[in-house]
Amino acid sequence: MQRCGGTNTTPFWRSVHYLALGGLNHLPIDYFLQQHPNVKRVALCFDRDEPGRNFTKIVAKRLAERGYIVQNTPPAIGKDYNSYLLAARRLISMER
């Protein structure tokens, strides 16, 4: 989740919030957004499997209806970002 309106002196990593859900539950997202009204953009990074894709559609629709700019960013390969990182690690080690 990215907040808008940061200053030029603020490092990028301080202008981004990460929220781990630990499952397919939108309540932590709702709570976080209530507590951080300055957040305007949300990047959804759920799993690339069928439950993750379905949940992404539901959450994206709910957030867009509430005026958030929503970006769907599943991992390029693998089921989840852990699989993606492991694949990237294997590629890097093969290049050495």
Side-chain angles (χ1 to χ4, degrees):
M1 298 188 182
Q2 183 176 346
R3 67 180 179 169
C4 294
T7 65
N8 290 338
T9 59
T10 303
F12 175 76
W13 64 270
R14 288 191 179 238
S15 67
V16 177
H17 305 281
Y18 296 94
L19 182 64
L21 300 183
L24 302 179
N25 181 356
H26 63 82
L27 295 177
I29 299 169
D30 293 342
Y31 179 78
F32 181 88
L33 292 173
Q34 281 180 333
Q35 300 301 310
H36 299 85
N38 55 329
V39 172
K40 305 297 180 205
R41 295 175 183 263
V42 178
L44 301 176
C45 303
F46 299 122
D47 290 357
R48 217 173 70 152
D49 59 4
E50 187 176 342
R53 297 293 77 222
N54 290 337
F55 189 65
T56 299
K57 291 175 189 173
I58 293 166
V59 173
K61 183 178 182 220
R62 290 181 78 241
L63 293 175
E65 288 172 350
R66 292 168 45 196
Y68 291 96
I69 299 166
V70 182
Q71 182 179 0
N72 179 14
T73 55
I77 58 172
K79 174 190 171 287
D80 55 25
Y81 274 96
N82 187 53
S83 299
Y84 175 79
L85 292 172
L86 290 172
R89 183 179 178 191
R90 282 191 298 274
L91 286 173
I92 290 169
S93 66
M94 288 172 48
E95 290 176 357
R96 292 183 183 176

